[in-house]
Amino acid sequence: MGKYTQIFQGTAFTSDSPKKLSILKDYLFCVNADGMIEKIVAPKQADYQLLLDTYKGQENFHRLAEGQYLLPGFVDLHVHAPQWAQSGTAQDLPLYDWLNEYTFPLEAKYSDLTFAKKVYEDLVDTLLSNGTTTALYFATVHKEASILLAEICAQKGQRGLVGKVVMDDAEQNPSYYRDQDTKTALINTEEFILAVKELAQTVKQGVYPVVTPRFIPSCTDEALKGLGELALKYDTHIQSHCSESDWAHHYVQERFHKHDAFALNDFGLLTDKSVMAHCNFLDDNDASLFARTGTAIAHCPLSNAYFANSVLPLSRFMAKGIDIGLGTDISAGATPSLYDNVKQAVVSSRMLEDGVDTALPAEERGVPNSRITINEAFYLATAGGGDSLNLPVGQIQENYTWDVQIIDTKVSTAKLPIFDDNEDLYDVFQKLIYNVRPENIREVWVQGEKVHSR
Ligand code: GUN
Ligand code: FE
């Protein structure tokens, strides 16, 4: 018996920084009882052979097969768990109508815990099988169903950060779907935080309560202030939507005569544990405030194509040093896959750079220097997400969690186009990111535990 709980031998792809991808060919990855990567050993290192001799043939020794590769588990920074039940519908409506005609009536149904359990169990399974090991969730206004989502993450082994959504403004929200009043919204939020913190004490991979004003238009000033105070009191993560669309951005300007970023900051809602979805309409002052406060952006490129009337100036915000990760934004983004969003992040950035209106001359059509590379998009889905949450996740590195996907490029129903056994590994990586389907994701591990296999 050795000192490690699991040892893996194989080739891994992991981001060191937005532009730098590390390829760890045939390394050993040593995982301890806490589910942390304690040691990573290159083939040329002295103890490589010693470790192999000690562990080979044991049950906890895993040699990846030919054609299999390790990737970090993905970090999805923006998921509306209840909206999984409508994923793919009503994508043609504008944001305001989509919320009022489809989304709020659906979310109201989660007062029914039987319905909530059915959808949430399916969603957590689906996200895990798509390689998502950490997810930042909006639940609904219902305290009980929100706690249930945290319990389901705990039980299925996913690292879930969960928010009970606050929507207390009686003028802005329908009577059938809102908090009863401001005081109740804050009491329920506090009880929710305490319940999830209690649950977390027994959960290896962690579950976390998140203070979650839906967006400024759904909350009163008093609720926003109270939520900022609760986040401070309990040192929680915070999430909301920020400057998403023309309509949402202008609503806040009319109400506060400032942009979302400064309004949220006034209520104590921009901290280094804050993750704001979208942020397409941030100006340079807003972006500087994000960088200064350590607030992160959840970039949701597929959702944006439908509901944000714009493309996020991603490379400009990355250059400012803002933490940024990727989100599916289920169901405004109609896919449970961050692979789809990695690809779309690249596509959207290219279209922003080149522009789209051929009536304009090429040099006036786009926004120069906007494109991002596949390395940068992969970084956002992994290390960028981990940094955004201030958690040691998203990288295959010593002192990070063992959260990984084992990708099999040779699955008979989903073979990747690799025809040369000695193909350049960076080409393998690119093919993998562009072509992986759920069938190729053989195993998913979170905090040293296997949570999915096929
Ligand atoms: N703004 C307020 N609520 C929502 C939501 O559920 N999805 C999106 N995309 N934007 C929102
Ligand atoms: Fe959203």
Side-chain angles (χ1 to χ4, degrees):
M1 273 301 285
K3 65 184 266 209
Y4 300 115
T5 310
Q6 312 284 350
I7 294 212
F8 292 78
Q9 184 185 26
T11 298
F13 300 106
T14 186
S15 274
D16 292 341
S17 68
K19 290 198 164 46
K20 182 163 181 306
L21 178 81
S22 265
I23 301 175
L24 310 177
K25 185 166 188 284
D26 253 328
Y27 276 49
L28 289 175
F29 304 92
C30 309
V31 181
N32 67 24
D34 295 329
M36 303 299 289
I37 304 171
E38 191 164 314
K39 203 166 162 57
I40 296 184
V41 187
K44 61 176 187 295
Q45 279 173 249
D47 44 355
Y48 189 87
Q49 194 55 46
L50 193 67
L51 280 163
L52 269 185
D53 293 343
T54 311
Y55 286 91
K56 219 169 176 172
Q58 288 188 24
E59 215 180 299
N60 60 354
F61 179 81
H62 313 263
R63 164 91 188 118
L64 265 62
E66 195 66 34
Q68 294 190 348
Y69 299 92
L70 286 161
L71 292 181
F74 284 154
V75 180
D76 191 335
L77 283 187
H78 190 57
V79 188
H80 294 269
Q83 296 174 19
W84 177 231
Q86 69 177 11
S87 184
T89 60
Q91 295 289 119
D92 296 330
L93 294 178
L95 179 62
Y96 184 87
D97 302 330
W98 176 82
L99 285 172
N100 284 287
E101 291 171 31
Y102 275 77
T103 305
F104 294 160
L106 170 63
E107 291 193 14
K109 288 199 207 168
Y110 289 76
S111 56
D112 175 354
L113 289 176
T114 309
F115 178 64
K117 182 165 188 284
K118 190 161 69 173
V119 179
Y120 288 167
E121 287 192 332
D122 187 65
L123 173 63
V124 174
D125 285 339
T126 302
L127 290 176
L128 285 172
S129 65
N130 277 277
T132 297
T133 48
T134 297
L136 176 56
Y137 289 107
F138 279 56
T140 59
V141 300
H142 314 100
K143 183 181 72 181
E144 287 76 16
S146 304
I147 294 171
L148 178 65
L149 174 58
E151 288 169 348
I152 290 168
C153 293
Q155 181 206 331
K156 290 189 178 290
Q158 191 183 47
R159 186 173 301 96
L161 298 93
V162 180
K164 173 223 143 6
V165 176
V166 171
M167 310 166 57
D168 71 312
D169 191 334
E171 308 244 302
Q172 292 296 323
N173 301 299
S175 56
Y176 65 83
Y177 186 54
R178 64 178 179 232
D179 293 289
Q180 195 183 319
D181 53 46
T182 307
K183 194 161 159 246
T184 315
L186 294 174
I187 290 172
N188 282 344
T189 300
E190 185 156 19
E191 288 175 358
F192 171 78
I193 292 169
L194 291 169
V196 176
K197 280 189 174 273
E198 171 81 27
L199 171 68
Q201 291 181 8
T202 57
V203 179
K204 186 178 179 188
Q205 78 278 11
V207 288
Y208 302 82
V210 184
V211 160
T212 307
R214 183 176 203 116
F215 63 158
I216 288 177
S218 52
C219 296
T220 61
D221 291 16
E222 202 187 337
L224 293 166
K225 180 166 169 288
L227 290 174
E229 288 165 1
L230 283 174
L232 181 66
K233 179 173 174 187
Y234 292 105
D235 188 27
T236 68
H237 289 84
I238 300 169
Q239 62 182 343
S240 191
H241 297 87
C242 178
S243 295
E244 176 180 6
S245 66
D246 283 309
W247 166 74
H249 184 57
H250 290 144
Y251 170 94
V252 176
Q253 266 183 296
E254 280 199 10
R255 177 163 146 196
F256 288 114
H257 309 291
K258 53 182 80 164
H259 288 178
D260 291 44
F262 281 86
L264 290 163
N265 192 47
D266 289 347
F267 292 114
L269 293 166
L270 296 193
T271 74
D272 65 352
K273 290 172 93 173
S274 298
V275 178
M276 293 295 147
H278 311 307
C279 302
N280 291 42
F281 289 82
L282 297 193
D283 68 11
D284 274 339
N285 286 334
D286 302 329
S288 298
L289 180 61
F290 266 52
R292 210 160 58 237
T293 54
T295 301
I297 295 175
H299 175 40
C300 310
L302 266 168
S303 164
N304 288 169
Y306 290 94
F307 294 105
N309 319 114
S310 58
V311 174
L312 181 79
L314 179 57
S315 60
R316 184 150 63 89
F317 293 161
M318 285 176 84
K320 270 202 169 264
I322 299 173
D323 285 338
I324 308 180
L326 285 187
T328 54
D329 196 14
I330 287 171
S331 68
T335 171
S337 170
L338 269 189
Y339 287 93
D340 292 343
N341 280 282
V342 167
K343 289 179 269 188
Q344 186 64 39
V346 174
V347 170
S348 292
S349 77
R350 299 289 292 251
M351 296 181 83
L352 181 61
E353 177 162 313
D354 285 345
V356 294
D357 183 358
T358 51
L360 294 171
E363 60 279 10
E364 288 172 26
R365 216 178 281 149
V367 181
N369 305 317
S370 292
R371 69 169 66 183
I372 63 160
T373 61
I374 191 68
N375 286 13
E376 289 170 292
F378 175 67
Y379 168 86
L380 295 176
T382 54
D387 287 351
S388 295
L389 294 171
N390 287 349
L391 294 174
V393 304
Q395 297 186 50
I396 301 181
Q397 283 259 20
E398 287 174 4
N399 300 317
Y400 277 68
T401 59
W402 184 249
D403 291 9
V404 297
Q405 330 174 33
I406 298 179
I407 306 300
D408 188 346
T409 58
K410 294 180 184 281
V411 174
S412 63
T413 54
K415 271 209 252 3
L416 264 53
I418 298 169
F419 301 101
D420 176 352
D421 285 343
N422 295 312
E423 177 129 0
D424 175 75
L425 283 171
Y426 184 56
D427 287 345
V428 170
F429 166 76
Q430 296 173 76
K431 288 180 175 178
L432 205 146
I433 295 301
Y434 274 100
N435 293 294
V436 158
R437 291 195 258 141
E439 294 99 300
N440 301 106
I441 305 175
R442 280 280 193 195
E443 290 183 13
V444 177
W445 291 69
V446 179
Q447 201 90 38
E449 302 288 332
K450 191 172 8 174
V451 296
H452 169 77
S453 62
R454 65 188 306 149

